[in-house]
Amino acid sequence: MKTKLLSTFLLGCAFAAGAQPMELQVNVKEIGAPIQPTMYGIFFEDINFGADGGLYAELVKNRSFEFDHPLLGWEPFGQIQVLDKNPCFDQNPHYVQLTKTPETKTGTGLVNEGFFGMGFKKGENYRFSVYARNLSEKPVRMAVDLIGNDRELTAYSSIEITDKDWKRYELVLSPNRTDDRGRLRVLLLGDGTVDLDHISLFPEKTWKGRKNGLRNDLAQALADLNPGVFRFPGGCIVEGTTLETRYNWKHSVGPVENRPININRWNYSQGVRRFPDYYQSYGMGFYEMFLLSEDIGAEPLPVISCGLACQFENKYADPQAMVPIKELDCYIQDALDLIEFANGDTTTRWGKLRAEMGHPAPFNMKYLGVGNEQWGEIYVERLTEFLKVLREKHPEIKIIGSSGPFKDGEYFDYLWPEMKRLQVDLVDEHYYNAPSFFYDNAKRYDSYDREGPKVFAGEYAAHHHTRKNNFDAALSEAAFMTGLERNADVVYMATYAPLFAHVEGWQWKPDLIWFDSMKSVKTPNYYVQQLYGQNAGTHVLPLTYEGQPLAGERKMYATAAFDENTNEIILKIVNAGIDNRSLKVYLNGARPAGQAQGFMLQSDMLEAENTIETPCTVVPEERTATVRDNVVELDAPKQSFQVLRIQLQ
Ligand code: AHR
């Protein structure tokens, strides 16, 4: 976070002399509900090129030649055919055959364009690999080149393809300059015929240096949120446009080369932004997502198909497409097998696969979502079948049901009582609404039933009319989240959505983190999530203004928490108005040990946003406030969100 100490004195001068401070009371003796460690989390979906072309560090698009047009993403030249006879990988059977003779004037080869270009950094290493076999009498040498934005060569090497049988070849390339729209070229140097498949290029510097790894800056940005839960793999892609194109987790594990690809539903479902080259390689599959959860200290929360195709975002197929109840067994079996894959002993079929992939220890999965934004009786009937089996075989797993795609209305009103009746553990609520909704709904959960299932605010984001990730949207989310925290006895999890967007490849906005082939930018919304995630606390403390929770009065919002791990009080305060305010926060029953310290997001411009070019327009700045006896005296500048920690004796 950017460090800029704000002098309390100077700030004090900016505030209207004589204005009465608002007095907030925090009852430190009355420790409230635990704040679940899962409270602030991450929602991940392969939308906006979030996985392939984003978090998944593979630079080659269509590396297996399995897209519906097998050469999409490739620029072939010379004598090339796409074949599938005697393939290297039975589930990804296509490969390319390259032939060069003395007559092939152009030479024979292929250029891959990557995902909106490949990002190469000068001096860093890139690992190229390919499966190849030689059909000629003699070995055939093949050049492997990295090409810069202007088509000049920036790194080159070559391999000799010797074997008649499929074999993996690998080499490392180090470009002599930085390019953000680079390309990969393979080119036969010698005469002959070779078959190539699964042509891959990864930066060596992936997250934690893993092979088949994740892009460093993007994975680090997730870790920096300090998320308590990691929901994957979506979103609508869980459901699929059709049942056949649902996310089948079993296709996303095992050797990456043989994971059958799937069309990504975001390829076509936003008609104005179509991406015919958007597929799911499943290279970053369930194993990688469990591993990422573990790396960033978040509880894994997979969501699986309940046997219904996407009902909401479906103009292209039957929104009522469903598996008949009597044929649901294999879907339920997928859920059981997933639990075995995550948690099972290494002697079990799926536990053994996990161990073979490199993780003998269980992932200790505790949560499972069944269906995404499903609704109606057809959903309830299917969920009932899942619950019958899951409750009996895995009572330890907490099940998450849906309340449909909207924050209220017919589907929501039908589903919530049904979820209570079925006794699911958590209900997933989704709301993409205007900032005004978020300001007006900071009390949404104050009146929720305390006896029913808990709430998972599984997808939410303030949609400013510009659909930009501006400060206005972020501030409204910060205000709303005070209400999530105050109601931590009923809200157990909350995840902003969607997470990632490629600046050229997006279908949906706003999104938490934007990126191109080289750089990424954290939005103001990201910093709101981060300030909450890094300052969650362990228990709610009652905070009142004139005897009521502060949830919009004078455009102010606040919540207080206690952190039993550090013995600190944490204040979160939003001033959504255009007047600067002074506050006195009485920490009744507490003995503070020093000044209040923390961070603040503030901007005079509600439209302010961070972009790739200007990533630091709105960033948290360090902040202190005076503590006299047990009273925190602080200023809440107009349009600000601040988090302060007060150490107790
Ligand atoms: O977050 C984008 C989409 O919004 C999700 O895929 C879906 O669940 C919701 O409709």
Side-chain angles (χ1 to χ4, degrees):
M1 286 186 190
K2 188 171 153 191
T3 301
K4 182 176 153 195
L5 280 168
L6 293 182
S7 144
T8 315
F9 171 73
L10 280 176
L11 255 178
C13 291
F15 283 69
Q20 281 299 312
M22 289 174 75
E23 297 194 344
L24 312 188
Q25 306 291 333
V26 178
N27 190 348
V28 181
K29 286 263 153 53
E30 205 183 297
I31 302 259
I35 297 170
Q36 300 298 315
T38 51
M39 182 63 143
Y40 305 114
I42 295 176
F43 160 92
F44 177 78
E45 176 166 19
D46 191 1
I47 182 173
N48 306 317
F49 287 84
D52 289 295
L55 184 57
Y56 184 46
E58 172 65 87
L59 294 168
V60 176
K61 181 169 68 189
N62 191 12
R63 63 188 175 187
S64 304
F65 307 98
E66 297 299 331
F67 287 13
D68 288 315
H69 292 281
L71 288 175
L72 206 61
W74 295 95
E75 190 188 308
F77 52 94
Q79 295 182 52
I80 293 202
Q81 309 182 65
V82 178
L83 303 171
D84 60 4
K85 217 169 139 200
N86 299 327
C88 192
F89 305 107
D90 60 335
Q91 302 204 86
N92 283 327
H94 293 100
Y95 57 88
V96 280
Q97 186 164 89
L98 280 65
T99 301
K100 180 175 175 302
T101 64
E103 287 73 48
T104 323
K105 297 270 178 314
T106 57
T108 292
L110 293 156
V111 177
N112 190 272
E113 65 188 21
F115 300 90
F116 313 96
M118 296 178 183
F120 298 139
K121 290 187 186 150
K122 180 180 174 178
E124 294 204 351
N125 288 339
Y126 294 82
R127 193 178 297 278
F128 167 88
S129 63
V130 62
Y131 287 80
R133 69 179 166 198
N134 183 358
L135 306 183
S136 330
E137 289 307 314
K138 291 190 195 150
V140 178
R141 187 155 283 281
M142 183 173 82
V144 182
D145 304 330
L146 300 188
I147 304 170
N149 295 2
D150 56 6
R151 298 210 154 227
E152 258 183 47
L153 212 56
T154 68
Y156 58 91
S157 188
S158 67
I159 49 176
E160 194 160 64
I161 300 165
T162 47
D163 279 46
K164 301 264 174 241
D165 293 326
W166 287 109
K167 179 181 157 188
R168 185 172 187 275
Y169 297 82
E170 183 179 297
L171 55 80
V172 172
L173 294 155
S174 182
N176 59 17
R177 61 176 222 213
T178 292
D179 277 291
D180 64 0
R181 227 169 247 278
R183 284 153 191 261
L184 166 74
R185 178 174 63 203
V186 293
L187 168 71
L188 291 193
L189 296 173
D191 290 344
T193 296
V194 298
D195 292 338
L196 306 179
D197 201 355
H198 199 88
I199 302 178
S200 169
L201 184 71
F202 270 88
E204 248 180 19
K205 279 193 187 163
T206 55
W207 166 252
K208 296 199 177 282
R210 295 219 171 87
K211 293 204 170 145
N212 192 48
L214 309 181
R215 200 174 124 168
N216 229 342
D217 59 334
L218 298 182
Q220 187 60 50
L222 301 187
D224 292 345
L225 287 167
N226 194 29
V229 66
F230 183 76
R231 171 184 162 186
F232 58 87
C236 289
I237 68 167
V238 170
E239 306 153 279
T241 300
T242 59
L243 286 163
E244 294 67 41
T245 54
R246 74 187 186 281
Y247 194 109
N248 182 339
W249 75 265
K250 288 177 176 166
H251 289 176
S252 82
V253 294
V256 282
E257 299 86 349
N258 210 19
R259 298 181 189 174
I261 70 154
N262 192 4
I263 190 163
N264 190 312
R265 71 175 323 284
W266 298 106
N267 175 316
Y268 49 79
S269 58
Q270 300 301 86
V272 286
R273 288 189 64 82
R274 288 174 178 271
F275 292 88
D277 54 349
Y278 199 2
Y279 285 72
Q280 297 174 79
S281 73
Y282 288 139
M284 182 187 153
F286 264 43
Y287 176 81
E288 290 75 20
M289 289 192 261
F290 276 116
L291 206 55
L292 177 60
S293 308
E294 186 173 86
D295 283 346
I296 60 181
E299 293 291 347
L301 194 172
V303 183
I304 51 161
S305 163
C306 65
L308 278 174
C310 186
Q311 293 166 282
F312 182 46
E313 289 269 352
N314 212 343
K315 334 181 232 314
Y316 298 96
D318 177 8
Q320 297 283 311
M322 67 188 101
V323 185
I325 297 284
K326 57 181 185 330
E327 290 166 28
L328 206 55
D329 286 2
C330 64
Y331 284 70
I332 297 173
Q333 190 60 44
D334 278 351
L336 297 175
D337 292 343
L338 176 60
I339 298 168
E340 186 175 291
F341 178 73
N343 296 349
D345 191 88
T346 54
T347 55
T348 62
R349 176 181 170 199
W350 293 101
K352 180 164 175 278
L353 177 61
R354 182 191 71 241
E356 284 165 3
M357 291 183 74
H359 203 286
F363 282 118
N364 201 15
M365 161 186 158
K366 301 186 184 83
Y367 302 94
L368 179 65
V370 180
N372 175 43
E373 279 178 346
Q374 260 80 39
W375 67 70
E377 276 176 37
I378 52 176
Y379 172 56
V380 170
E381 285 162 7
R382 279 156 188 77
L383 180 60
T384 304
E385 298 303 308
F386 274 81
L387 282 165
K388 271 187 215 158
V389 179
L390 288 168
R391 291 303 194 208
E392 191 207 321
K393 297 199 188 270
H394 288 286
E396 77 284 5
I397 297 289
K398 304 237 177 294
I399 305 296
I400 293 145
S402 159
S403 64
F406 307 118
K407 62 182 183 341
D408 53 18
E410 188 191 341
Y411 303 144
F412 186 92
D413 293 344
Y414 165 71
L415 282 170
W416 250 106
E418 286 297 77
M419 293 302 117
K420 282 184 190 170
R421 182 179 65 77
L422 292 176
Q423 297 183 352
V424 299
D425 298 287
L426 293 111
V427 177
D428 185 9
E429 294 192 352
H430 293 183
Y431 26 85
Y432 297 105
N433 293 90
S436 56
F437 164 84
F438 286 86
Y439 286 126
D440 295 346
N441 278 273
K443 289 188 180 162
R444 177 180 174 94
Y445 296 110
D446 290 10
S447 52
Y448 262 50
D449 179 3
R450 269 42 202 173
E451 306 304 320
K454 303 303 174 190
V455 172
F456 171 29
E459 290 185 31
Y460 70 93
H463 282 198
H464 188 260
H465 65 90
T466 59
R467 297 290 289 262
K468 287 188 171 170
N469 285 96
N470 62 22
F471 185 60
D472 194 11
L475 197 60
S476 72
E477 288 152 8
F480 175 76
M481 289 171 79
T482 59
L484 300 182
E485 190 162 289
R486 186 174 58 255
N487 288 288
D489 58 329
V490 71
V491 182
Y492 275 24
M493 301 175 179
T495 54
Y496 180 100
L499 182 60
F500 287 122
H502 192 292
V503 292
E504 290 174 65
W506 61 270
Q507 297 84 44
W508 177 295
K509 60 180 182 176
D511 306 285
L512 207 61
I513 301 166
W514 288 76
F515 60 89
D516 63 14
S517 65
M518 304 286 283
K519 296 188 276 272
S520 50
V521 57
K522 295 163 177 171
T523 59
N525 316 71
Y526 173 95
Y527 289 118
V528 167
Q529 295 295 321
Q530 188 183 41
L531 287 171
Y532 271 92
Q534 291 190 351
N535 298 284
T538 55
H539 293 82
V540 181
L541 288 175
L543 179 150
T544 53
Y545 169 66
E546 297 184 341
Q548 298 295 321
L550 185 57
E553 183 72 24
R554 300 198 196 187
K555 297 205 179 285
M556 297 291 297
Y557 302 79
T559 182
F562 176 62
D563 189 335
E564 69 179 2
N565 301 317
T566 59
N567 195 30
E568 287 172 300
I569 293 174
I570 303 169
L571 299 175
K572 301 188 180 80
I573 298 168
V574 174
N575 180 354
I578 52 169
D579 297 318
N580 297 326
R581 299 223 177 265
S582 300
L583 303 181
K584 279 189 174 180
V585 186
Y586 290 82
L587 306 178
N588 301 307
R591 292 203 303 157
Q595 303 306 299
Q597 305 208 322
F599 291 90
M600 180 167 73
L601 276 180
Q602 196 278 334
S603 177
D604 288 349
M605 280 178 50
L606 288 174
E607 306 270 333
E609 51 174 327
N610 297 337
T611 64
I612 294 268
E613 296 75 32
T614 57
C616 297
T617 308
V618 186
V619 294
E621 296 182 341
E622 274 192 40
R623 174 115 180 110
T624 57
T626 306
V627 180
R628 282 184 227 285
D629 298 326
N630 65 348
V631 183
V632 188
E633 297 176 0
L634 70 128
D635 298 321
K638 70 175 190 182
Q639 296 168 191
S640 66
F641 166 47
Q642 61 188 305
V643 178
L644 291 168
R645 301 184 78 113
I646 301 113
Q647 183 69 56
L648 300 181
Q649 292 177 21

